[in-house]
Amino acid sequence: MSNISSRKLDHIELCAKEDVEYQFKTTLLEEVELLHDSLPELAVSEVDLSVDFIGKKLAAPLLITGMTGGADEATRINRELAQVAQELGIAFGVGSQRAILKDRSLAATYQVRDVAPDIALLGNIGGVQAAAMTTSEAEDLVGIIAADALCIHLNPGQELTQPEGDRDFRGVLDAIARLNEELSVPIIVKETGSGLSKRALEKLKGTGVNWVDTSGAGGTTWIGVEVLRTPPEQRNVGQMFWDWGVPTAASIIWARELGFNTIASGGVRNGLDAAKAIALGAGVAGMALPWLKAAYDGGAPAALSFGQDTLLALRTACVLTGSPNISALQQAPKILGPKLSHWARA
Amino acid sequence: MSNISSRKLDHIELCAKEDVEYQFKTTLLEEVELLHDSLPELAVSEVDLSVDFIGKKLAAPLLITGMTGGADEATRINRELAQVAQELGIAFGVGSQRAILKDRSLAATYQVRDVAPDIALLGNIGGVQAAAMTTSEAEDLVGIIAADALCIHLNPGQELTQPEGDRDFRGVLDAIARLNEELSVPIIVKETGSGLSKRALEKLKGTGVNWVDTSGAGGTTWIGVEVLRTPPEQRNVGQMFWDWGVPTAASIIWARELGFNTIASGGVRNGLDAAKAIALGAGVAGMALPWLKAAYDGGAPAALSFGQDTLLALRTACVLTGSPNISALQQAPKILGPKLSHWARA
Amino acid sequence: MSNISSRKLDHIELCAKEDVEYQFKTTLLEEVELLHDSLPELAVSEVDLSVDFIGKKLAAPLLITGMTGGADEATRINRELAQVAQELGIAFGVGSQRAILKDRSLAATYQVRDVAPDIALLGNIGGVQAAAMTTSEAEDLVGIIAADALCIHLNPGQELTQPEGDRDFRGVLDAIARLNEELSVPIIVKETGSGLSKRALEKLKGTGVNWVDTSGAGGTTWIGVEVLRTPPEQRNVGQMFWDWGVPTAASIIWARELGFNTIASGGVRNGLDAAKAIALGAGVAGMALPWLKAAYDGGAPAALSFGQDTLLALRTACVLTGSPNISALQQAPKILGPKLSHWARA
Amino acid sequence: MSNISSRKLDHIELCAKEDVEYQFKTTLLEEVELLHDSLPELAVSEVDLSVDFIGKKLAAPLLITGMTGGADEATRINRELAQVAQELGIAFGVGSQRAILKDRSLAATYQVRDVAPDIALLGNIGGVQAAAMTTSEAEDLVGIIAADALCIHLNPGQELTQPEGDRDFRGVLDAIARLNEELSVPIIVKETGSGLSKRALEKLKGTGVNWVDTSGAGGTTWIGVEVLRTPPEQRNVGQMFWDWGVPTAASIIWARELGFNTIASGGVRNGLDAAKAIALGAGVAGMALPWLKAAYDGGAPAALSFGQDTLLALRTACVLTGSPNISALQQAPKILGPKLSHWARA
Ligand SMILES: Cc1cc2nc3c(=O)[nH]c(=O)nc-3n(C[C@H](O)[C@H](O)[C@H](O)COP(=O)(O)O)c2cc1C
Ligand SMILES: Cc1cc2nc3c(=O)[nH]c(=O)nc-3n(C[C@H](O)[C@H](O)[C@H](O)COP(=O)(O)O)c2cc1C
Ligand SMILES: Cc1cc2nc3c(=O)[nH]c(=O)nc-3n(C[C@H](O)[C@H](O)[C@H](O)COP(=O)(O)O)c2cc1C
Ligand SMILES: Cc1cc2nc3c(=O)[nH]c(=O)nc-3n(C[C@H](O)[C@H](O)[C@H](O)COP(=O)(O)O)c2cc1C
């Protein structure tokens, strides 16, 4: 098994079994108070959750964000979650396709089109890898899985914490601008749990990218995951940065302010969180860890059931805020708590 | 026993015995600080707690809000509480009269005029039922119990959580406007524990209704009650919404701002809470759960004793704020804490 | 033993042994942050703690506020604390002299001039009693103990909680104005633990009184003491008001704003609290419960030792804020926390 | 062994083994949120941590603040830490050189130039001692250890808590002005854990001094250390002042506002704290207790390892805020929490 494959399995095991979430910092979604509407004047059956996303129509504004590939266990998870996405009409992303670059035979571990012909499907590659890649190599990653868009993920916090991680983050912005210009499908720039700050978003503005995925602080911490992979006596520095990052809710607000189409992720844990994220202006809400745990523990049936609950909660939130559709939910009356207001103004 | 009757008994049992209140959200009445007046220049005996309410004079601005009817146990509770209301000179409401619509023989479970000839008595029907009803059917509900007003209750949160609940909330506003215009007695629009938001109040403004009952968040949660009636493995979504709603204190402030005569209820638990609610501008303070618990556990004597304590506490609050009467208490100096100020401004 | 005598003993026992302080409300003195001055350019021996108070010079701005009299145990406590006051050069007040009105022979339980010839000594009577008294009767109370001033205490919260307490608080303001005009010594109007609100202070402004004693919330609660004297099953209403009142720090700020000479008391517990109270503008800091506990548990030696610590802490606070004297301490740089700032503005 | 020597050993033992830090007050550095930059466009190897400090170039903006000397155990600690400073290229200060004034033979316990020829080395003397010293005596202290600057420490809180401590703090400001004018090396005025308030900084402004070391509240409390050296029954007053002082973060902000070059110390505990302090505008971050504990428990190897972690964390913070060097880090985007904002504005 290659290094990457074995690291991927480590990651899945750790995420599924250990506590890999922020300790003291939260998403600040708990400070988003959606206001109850006792007189919705709506029928549940009337509520329309559908949205347009990278050229596809989603039955609901939900995304299973990219997690895995490149190993056997990954194959099962990718296929099960993609199938659930197909069944529910939501979007799905694969994990970093870097492994394919080294070993083409691993392509199959990412391929899900046979079980999920209609979904909005997202490819995935790291920013540092993208910088080292020609456009046609990137095009190839997209083609291998028949993706509708390519996610470029940013994770300097994780890399620095990983002994074998990248140490040079130059050229990523240029690569994003180039791929956004030249690739046949849209680029989505995503964090991986530390969130997109105003400064990072301003830099991205210059690249022409339309879609960002906040992947903010408050959910899975990849610095934390790497800390757990480190021998205890070498954890000092990583431990200090366990809670590093921009809370998801703040990142959504900033991304919207700067005019990005926004996927809200990082610590979104259920349909009510998703509703709050959308009420802050996000177009789609993404989750990783909850889907992984469902699939890891209970396979496709558990994941499907989790997805149905999520849709039901989202629909309930629409009715109880008097929102007949997602664009109404984006405007729903809400109150932001003091910490989030402070971040939003900063 | 009909489905409705058995559900009503479920509700009484759950409310009397389980923890059916909000978990993390409060009424925010705890953030209303009434200011002590060391020099009240009043005699206790001078303090006048009486108020006018829907054409009756109450000895004190208190209401036992509508809870039950339609089942045997309900009869006992309605009659005992109505008797206590008669003795104390306060108002009383029956629970939803929907059961009568299906089975006329249940009318007796709501009738209390023989034991409470003088009280301000409130009928009760759901908004969705009201929308399906002619004005003369509604008039009939009023007549059956000789009510002084009809409460139309709003509870979309509860309905959505109840597997057998309503799913279509259209036409409620029109029904309210029509009944307010055509009925022989005033309409009171009430929530049932999730509170009236500004948006809901603005919609109501258009119906011409004068009285609203906030029934805000922080006390009994009907979403919670329905969660407890659900098998554990189906509670996920309901559980997310357990604490959904607008805190009572915020709802009072908004209702007053929009010019409604306001009954303050939802988590009011004693005479000091009632005094705070009135100091925010409410005309009457209502409670449900505390009266139910008193009557359930100790019958009429316990309920009477609870009522006497409530009156004494309210009178004490009047003296210690230097308020000779209820309209003075409505103007009493007070300080609002940060969360409530934030809600009030929103 | 008379009813009053036995009640006085109850009070002493309860205060000395039970928890008779506020439960959730604080003085807000903990939100007064005195700012450290690393460069005081002072010698400790130079610091002058003396102040003028009702025609006497105090070695330090401290008062043992009025507590007792009218019973044997009271005599011992009054005499021991007066002796300590004499030794330290601070002021001392006796408890309510009401008992003398009923039984002249109890006068001796208040008399301390033989052991404390030089102290500023304060008489004490309730507002309701003062209203029922001629000026010459009040003059008599002053003369019996050779007092330098007469405290009129306000305690409607306590009275209402006490089954045998007063229920008519009319005429108190007039009596204060009259006695202030006609008595040979100054009047000090004091609360007894519930604090003076802005409204109460404004009413007092009209009486011409110069000195007030805040006796605010956060220390001994007299509503609480009376609750403890009540059979458990009758405590409901009293319990609700246990924490009723205006925090001491807020009351000091308001009294200063309205131009009163201010004694800061209620929950002051040591010399650092006293320094904070003075930095808010108070001229003298008063304590009751800590002196009672010291004297009750350890007699005069313990009280003396407590007093010496208090003086040392006050002196230390002067040096560390660069304040050569009390009027400098009143102007010392400080930061008020959010709750206190909110009260101050209200 | 002299009194001073034995007190010095007491201090080391207490600091190394007992809890000598603030109990409730913090540095407020935890309210400095550095904002993550997902797109640093930097290579780790490019990041330049070097700064100029009192005429020397430091490899990183770190200082081991002055702690000891004047006793055998002190010699070992001074030499080990100086060696680590030499190895890491950071600055080092000796503890108070007062002992030398009484016993010249103790000079050797401070001398480290043989093991640390290149470091920025700081001498140390108390403000009260400086006031009693001629300039040439001070020059001598500098010369004995070949220091690059002389720290004058301010510690009135500690002195007042120490039974044998100084009681007269006059003349310190004049001495600082004189030595700053006349000495051959720069003066650094430092607190010792209680922090420099705005008022103290304004006084210092008049002396012409350029460098201050905040040594603020939230780390080691020297009042606390002296409390632990006092018999339990005499701790009352000291205990009240345990948490006295200005939080480090506030002191940094004020020092920068007044235009001082600022060493940030007091409760800085690792490289991430150091990064936050620098982001508030400090030029150098100092620590005492963590270095002492490392050296005491594990000697030079443990201290070196602690230093390496600190550098790595600082470098990581630079990359993750997109700061190629220290002056960029000083401008890095950040959010201050509510308490710190309140202090900053005061
Ligand atoms: C097991 C696992 C593997 C992941 N692998 C990737 C990846 O390869 N590429 C990527 O962009 N993000 C990856 N992520 C990050 C997620 O897409 C997401 O941004 C992050 O976990 C925050 O969302 P959460 O709090 O819902 O987990 C992974 C997350 C998990 C839990
Ligand atoms: C057992 C029970 C039954 C209730 N049934 C009704 C009802 O039929 N109609 C209605 O309008 N509200 C009903 N309510 C809601 C109450 O009137 C009230 O709005 C709500 O419980 C909040 O007040 P509380 O916190 O004092 O209980 C019921 C409440 C309880 C506790
Ligand atoms: C045992 C005891 C008896 C008291 N009796 C009186 C009294 O007779 N008259 C009065 O004005 N205040 C009386 N007080 C109130 C005190 O003067 C003071 O206002 C109040 O206790 C708040 O201060 P503290 O928190 O330091 O106790 C008494 C307090 C105590 C503890
Ligand atoms: C054991 C020890 C001895 C100290 N001795 C001195 C000293 O002699 N002179 C001085 O200026 N500061 C002295 N300090 C104070 C430190 O320089 C520093 O200002 C203070 O401890 C706060 O930093 P910290 O929280 O990192 O410990 C001493 C600190 C410690 C822990």
Side-chain angles (χ1 to χ4, degrees):
Chain A
M1 196 159 57
S2 78
N3 282 344
I4 297 189
S5 296
S6 103
R7 189 165 68 228
K8 290 287 156 195
L9 290 183
D10 271 19
H11 284 164
I12 289 177
E13 296 282 313
L14 281 168
C15 288
K17 294 184 187 162
E18 305 291 325
D19 187 352
V20 295
E21 299 193 84
Y22 279 73
Q23 285 169 325
F24 302 107
K25 193 176 276 175
T26 67
T27 60
L28 295 182
L29 288 171
E30 76 282 4
E31 285 210 354
V32 179
E33 178 75 37
L34 298 178
L35 289 175
H36 178 59
D37 186 346
S38 314
L39 288 155
E41 292 285 325
L42 282 175
V44 174
S45 59
E46 265 190 331
V47 173
D48 177 10
L49 298 180
S50 73
V51 293
D52 292 319
F53 176 57
I54 51 165
K56 292 263 165 93
K57 181 133 202 140
L58 306 185
L62 296 173
L63 164 64
I64 303 173
T65 65
M67 283 184 279
T68 199
D72 277 3
E73 174 70 5
T75 317
R76 182 183 74 76
I77 290 174
N78 271 338
R79 294 181 70 80
E80 285 180 350
L81 290 178
Q83 235 169 321
V84 168
Q86 171 77 20
E87 193 151 340
L88 297 174
I90 66 177
F92 169 80
V94 299
S96 171
Q97 296 175 261
R98 183 183 193 180
I100 307 184
L101 300 176
K102 308 217 168 161
D103 178 356
R104 189 84 187 186
S105 77
L106 293 169
T109 66
Y110 298 88
Q111 286 163 337
V112 300
R113 270 298 179 213
D114 53 329
V115 295
D118 305 313
I119 64 170
L121 176 62
L122 314 183
N124 191 297
I125 193 69
V128 172
Q129 283 68 53
M133 206 178 267
T134 64
T135 302
S136 73
E137 284 168 329
E139 197 68 58
D140 192 29
L141 292 181
V142 169
I144 283 172
I145 64 164
D148 298 297
L150 179 65
C151 293
I152 298 183
H153 71 253
L154 309 175
N155 65 339
Q158 177 184 12
E159 297 294 340
L160 291 183
T161 311
Q162 192 175 298
E164 72 273 30
D166 291 319
R167 291 292 181 272
D168 187 345
F169 307 102
R170 290 174 296 189
V172 177
L173 266 175
D174 279 352
I176 292 170
R178 171 172 50 87
L179 291 174
N180 188 59
E181 180 75 29
E182 300 178 0
L183 212 63
S184 66
V185 296
I187 291 291
I188 297 171
V189 177
K190 78 185 287 288
E191 243 291 340
T192 48
S194 301
L196 295 168
S197 65
K198 215 172 231 182
R199 187 195 267 195
L201 287 161
E202 279 159 0
K203 292 184 193 174
L204 280 176
K205 206 65 208 171
T207 65
V209 158
N210 282 322
W211 277 95
V212 296
D213 176 339
T214 61
S215 198
T220 308
T221 164
W222 279 93
I223 293 175
V225 173
E226 296 300 342
V227 166
L228 296 180
R229 290 182 61 236
T230 309
E233 67 284 3
Q234 291 167 31
R235 293 183 180 177
N236 292 344
V237 176
Q239 191 65 51
M240 283 174 219
F241 290 86
W242 185 285
D243 264 9
W244 180 267
V246 176
T248 295
S251 196
I252 300 169
I253 291 173
W254 292 338
R256 292 299 303 147
E257 258 174 39
L258 287 166
F260 287 103
N261 286 322
T262 305
I263 299 169
S265 81
V268 174
R269 289 295 170 261
N270 57 44
L272 181 51
D273 283 347
K276 290 175 175 187
I278 289 167
L280 292 177
V284 170
M287 296 186 255
L289 196 62
W291 290 106
L292 178 76
K293 287 192 165 167
Y296 190 93
D297 295 344
L304 182 63
S305 162
F306 172 75
Q308 286 162 337
D309 279 353
T310 303
L311 260 79
L312 177 57
L314 187 54
R315 190 175 296 277
T316 301
C318 282
V319 177
L320 294 184
T321 55
S323 307
N325 51 47
I326 294 302
S327 88
L329 181 60
Q330 288 177 320
Q331 323 279 334
K334 61 202 152 282
I335 290 182
L336 308 189
K339 277 192 219 160
L340 180 52
S341 304
H342 191 67
W343 278 83
R345 276 191 305 269
Chain B
M1 196 160 54
S2 78
N3 280 345
I4 297 191
S5 296
S6 103
R7 189 165 69 228
K8 289 288 156 194
L9 290 184
D10 270 18
H11 284 162
I12 289 177
E13 295 281 313
L14 281 167
C15 287
K17 295 183 185 162
E18 305 291 325
D19 188 352
V20 295
E21 299 193 86
Y22 279 72
Q23 285 170 325
F24 301 107
K25 193 176 276 176
T26 67
T27 60
L28 295 182
L29 288 172
E30 76 284 2
E31 284 210 355
V32 178
E33 178 75 36
L34 298 178
L35 289 174
H36 178 59
D37 187 345
S38 314
L39 288 156
E41 292 285 326
L42 282 176
V44 173
S45 60
E46 266 189 332
V47 172
D48 177 10
L49 298 181
S50 73
V51 292
D52 293 319
F53 177 56
I54 50 166
K56 291 263 164 94
K57 181 135 203 138
L58 306 185
L62 296 173
L63 163 65
I64 303 172
T65 64
M67 283 185 277
T68 200
D72 276 1
E73 175 70 4
T75 315
R76 183 183 72 77
I77 289 174
N78 272 338
R79 295 181 69 81
E80 285 180 350
L81 291 177
Q83 233 169 323
V84 168
Q86 171 77 19
E87 193 152 340
L88 296 174
I90 66 177
F92 170 79
V94 298
S96 171
Q97 296 175 261
R98 183 182 192 180
I100 307 184
L101 300 176
K102 306 216 170 163
D103 178 357
R104 189 82 187 189
S105 77
L106 293 169
T109 66
Y110 297 88
Q111 285 161 339
V112 299
R113 268 297 179 215
D114 53 328
V115 295
D118 305 312
I119 64 170
L121 177 62
L122 315 182
N124 191 299
I125 193 70
V128 172
Q129 282 69 52
M133 206 178 268
T134 65
T135 303
S136 72
E137 284 168 328
E139 196 68 57
D140 191 29
L141 292 181
V142 169
I144 282 171
I145 63 164
D148 298 296
L150 179 65
C151 292
I152 298 183
H153 72 253
L154 309 174
N155 65 340
Q158 177 185 11
E159 297 294 340
L160 291 183
T161 313
Q162 192 174 298
E164 72 272 30
D166 292 320
R167 291 292 181 271
D168 187 345
F169 307 102
R170 290 174 295 189
V172 178
L173 267 175
D174 279 352
I176 292 170
R178 171 174 48 87
L179 291 174
N180 187 58
E181 180 75 29
E182 301 177 359
L183 211 65
S184 66
V185 296
I187 291 292
I188 297 171
V189 177
K190 78 185 288 289
E191 243 291 337
T192 48
S194 301
L196 295 168
S197 65
K198 215 173 232 183
R199 186 194 267 195
L201 287 161
E202 279 159 0
K203 292 184 192 173
L204 280 176
K205 206 63 207 171
T207 65
V209 158
N210 282 321
W211 276 96
V212 295
D213 176 340
T214 60
S215 199
T220 308
T221 164
W222 278 93
I223 293 174
V225 174
E226 296 300 342
V227 167
L228 297 180
R229 290 183 61 236
T230 309
E233 67 284 1
Q234 291 166 31
R235 292 182 181 179
N236 291 344
V237 176
Q239 191 65 51
M240 284 175 218
F241 289 86
W242 185 285
D243 265 8
W244 179 267
V246 176
T248 295
S251 195
I252 300 170
I253 291 173
W254 291 338
R256 292 299 302 148
E257 257 175 40
L258 286 167
F260 287 103
N261 286 322
T262 305
I263 299 168
S265 81
V268 173
R269 289 295 168 261
N270 57 44
L272 181 51
D273 283 347
K276 291 175 175 186
I278 289 166
L280 291 178
V284 170
M287 295 186 254
L289 195 63
W291 291 106
L292 178 76
K293 286 191 165 167
Y296 189 92
D297 295 343
L304 183 62
S305 162
F306 172 74
Q308 285 161 337
D309 279 355
T310 302
L311 260 78
L312 177 56
L314 186 54
R315 190 175 296 277
T316 301
C318 281
V319 177
L320 294 184
T321 55
S323 307
N325 52 46
I326 293 303
S327 87
L329 181 60
Q330 287 177 322
Q331 321 280 333
K334 61 203 152 281
I335 291 182
L336 308 189
K339 277 192 221 158
L340 181 52
S341 305
H342 192 67
W343 278 83
R345 274 191 307 269
Chain C
M1 198 157 57
S2 77
N3 281 345
I4 297 190
S5 296
S6 103
R7 189 165 69 227
K8 289 289 155 191
L9 291 184
D10 271 18
H11 285 162
I12 290 178
E13 295 282 314
L14 281 168
C15 288
K17 295 182 185 163
E18 306 291 325
D19 188 351
V20 295
E21 299 193 85
Y22 279 73
Q23 285 170 324
F24 302 106
K25 194 177 275 176
T26 68
T27 60
L28 295 182
L29 288 172
E30 77 282 2
E31 285 211 354
V32 179
E33 178 73 37
L34 298 178
L35 289 174
H36 178 57
D37 187 347
S38 314
L39 287 156
E41 291 286 324
L42 281 176
V44 174
S45 60
E46 267 189 329
V47 172
D48 177 10
L49 298 181
S50 74
V51 292
D52 293 319
F53 177 56
I54 50 166
K56 293 263 164 95
K57 182 135 204 138
L58 306 185
L62 296 174
L63 164 65
I64 303 172
T65 64
M67 282 185 277
T68 199
D72 277 2
E73 175 69 6
T75 315
R76 184 183 73 77
I77 289 173
N78 272 339
R79 295 180 70 80
E80 285 180 350
L81 290 178
Q83 234 168 321
V84 168
Q86 171 76 19
E87 194 151 339
L88 297 174
I90 65 176
F92 170 80
V94 298
S96 171
Q97 295 175 261
R98 182 183 193 179
I100 306 184
L101 299 176
K102 305 216 171 164
D103 177 356
R104 189 83 186 187
S105 77
L106 293 169
T109 65
Y110 298 88
Q111 286 162 338
V112 299
R113 269 297 178 213
D114 53 330
V115 295
D118 305 314
I119 64 170
L121 177 61
L122 314 182
N124 190 300
I125 193 71
V128 171
Q129 282 69 52
M133 207 179 268
T134 64
T135 303
S136 72
E137 284 169 327
E139 196 69 57
D140 191 30
L141 292 181
V142 169
I144 282 171
I145 63 164
D148 298 297
L150 180 66
C151 293
I152 298 183
H153 71 253
L154 309 175
N155 66 339
Q158 178 184 11
E159 297 295 340
L160 291 184
T161 313
Q162 193 176 299
E164 71 274 28
D166 292 319
R167 291 292 181 272
D168 187 345
F169 306 102
R170 289 175 296 189
V172 177
L173 267 175
D174 280 352
I176 292 170
R178 171 173 50 87
L179 291 174
N180 187 59
E181 180 75 27
E182 300 178 0
L183 211 64
S184 65
V185 296
I187 291 292
I188 298 171
V189 177
K190 77 185 287 289
E191 242 292 338
T192 48
S194 301
L196 295 168
S197 65
K198 216 172 230 181
R199 186 194 267 195
L201 287 161
E202 279 160 359
K203 292 185 192 173
L204 280 176
K205 207 60 207 171
T207 65
V209 158
N210 282 321
W211 277 96
V212 295
D213 176 339
T214 60
S215 200
T220 309
T221 164
W222 278 94
I223 293 174
V225 173
E226 296 300 341
V227 166
L228 296 180
R229 291 183 60 235
T230 308
E233 68 284 2
Q234 291 165 31
R235 292 182 180 179
N236 291 345
V237 176
Q239 192 64 52
M240 283 175 219
F241 289 86
W242 184 286
D243 264 9
W244 180 265
V246 176
T248 295
S251 196
I252 300 170
I253 290 173
W254 291 339
R256 292 300 301 148
E257 257 175 38
L258 287 167
F260 287 102
N261 286 322
T262 305
I263 299 169
S265 81
V268 173
R269 290 295 170 259
N270 57 45
L272 181 51
D273 283 346
K276 291 175 175 187
I278 289 167
L280 292 177
V284 170
M287 294 187 254
L289 195 62
W291 290 107
L292 178 76
K293 287 192 166 168
Y296 189 91
D297 294 343
L304 183 61
S305 163
F306 173 74
Q308 286 161 337
D309 279 355
T310 303
L311 260 77
L312 178 56
L314 187 53
R315 190 175 297 277
T316 301
C318 282
V319 177
L320 294 184
T321 55
S323 308
N325 51 47
I326 294 303
S327 87
L329 181 60
Q330 288 177 321
Q331 321 279 333
K334 60 203 155 279
I335 291 183
L336 308 189
K339 276 192 223 158
L340 181 52
S341 304
H342 191 67
W343 278 82
R345 275 192 305 269
Chain D
M1 197 160 55
S2 78
N3 281 345
I4 297 189
S5 296
S6 102
R7 188 165 67 229
K8 289 288 155 193
L9 292 184
D10 270 20
H11 285 163
I12 290 177
E13 296 281 314
L14 281 167
C15 288
K17 295 182 185 161
E18 306 291 325
D19 188 351
V20 295
E21 298 193 87
Y22 279 73
Q23 286 170 324
F24 301 108
K25 194 177 274 175
T26 67
T27 60
L28 295 182
L29 288 171
E30 77 282 2
E31 285 211 353
V32 178
E33 178 75 37
L34 297 178
L35 289 175
H36 179 59
D37 187 347
S38 313
L39 287 156
E41 291 286 325
L42 282 175
V44 174
S45 60
E46 266 189 330
V47 172
D48 178 8
L49 298 181
S50 73
V51 293
D52 293 318
F53 177 56
I54 51 165
K56 292 263 164 94
K57 181 136 205 138
L58 306 184
L62 296 173
L63 164 65
I64 303 173
T65 64
M67 282 185 278
T68 199
D72 276 2
E73 175 69 6
T75 315
R76 183 183 72 77
I77 290 173
N78 271 339
R79 294 180 70 81
E80 286 180 350
L81 290 177
Q83 236 170 317
V84 168
Q86 172 76 21
E87 194 152 338
L88 297 173
I90 66 176
F92 170 79
V94 299
S96 172
Q97 295 175 261
R98 182 182 192 179
I100 308 184
L101 299 177
K102 306 217 169 162
D103 178 356
R104 189 81 185 189
S105 76
L106 293 170
T109 65
Y110 297 88
Q111 286 162 338
V112 299
R113 269 299 179 212
D114 52 330
V115 295
D118 304 315
I119 64 169
L121 177 61
L122 314 182
N124 191 298
I125 193 68
V128 171
Q129 283 68 52
M133 206 178 269
T134 64
T135 304
S136 73
E137 284 168 328
E139 196 69 57
D140 192 29
L141 292 180
V142 170
I144 283 172
I145 63 164
D148 298 298
L150 180 65
C151 293
I152 298 182
H153 71 252
L154 309 175
N155 65 339
Q158 177 184 12
E159 297 295 339
L160 291 183
T161 312
Q162 192 174 298
E164 71 274 28
D166 292 320
R167 292 292 181 271
D168 187 345
F169 307 101
R170 290 174 294 190
V172 177
L173 266 175
D174 279 352
I176 292 170
R178 171 172 50 87
L179 291 174
N180 187 58
E181 180 75 28
E182 300 177 1
L183 211 64
S184 66
V185 296
I187 291 292
I188 297 171
V189 177
K190 77 185 288 289
E191 242 292 340
T192 48
S194 301
L196 294 168
S197 65
K198 216 172 231 181
R199 186 196 267 196
L201 287 161
E202 279 159 0
K203 292 184 192 174
L204 280 175
K205 207 62 208 170
T207 65
V209 159
N210 281 323
W211 277 96
V212 295
D213 176 339
T214 60
S215 199
T220 309
T221 164
W222 278 93
I223 293 174
V225 173
E226 296 300 341
V227 165
L228 296 180
R229 290 184 60 237
T230 308
E233 66 285 4
Q234 291 165 30
R235 291 182 180 179
N236 292 344
V237 176
Q239 191 64 52
M240 283 174 218
F241 289 86
W242 185 286
D243 263 10
W244 180 267
V246 175
T248 296
S251 196
I252 300 169
I253 291 173
W254 292 338
R256 291 299 302 147
E257 257 176 38
L258 287 166
F260 287 102
N261 286 322
T262 305
I263 299 168
S265 82
V268 174
R269 290 295 169 260
N270 57 44
L272 181 52
D273 284 346
K276 291 175 176 186
I278 289 166
L280 292 178
V284 171
M287 294 187 255
L289 195 63
W291 290 106
L292 178 76
K293 287 191 166 168
Y296 190 92
D297 294 344
L304 183 63
S305 162
F306 172 75
Q308 286 162 337
D309 279 354
T310 303
L311 260 79
L312 178 56
L314 187 53
R315 190 175 296 275
T316 302
C318 282
V319 177
L320 295 184
T321 56
S323 307
N325 51 47
I326 294 302
S327 87
L329 181 60
Q330 288 177 321
Q331 322 278 335
K334 61 203 153 281
I335 290 183
L336 308 189
K339 277 192 222 160
L340 180 53
S341 304
H342 191 66
W343 278 84
R345 275 191 306 269

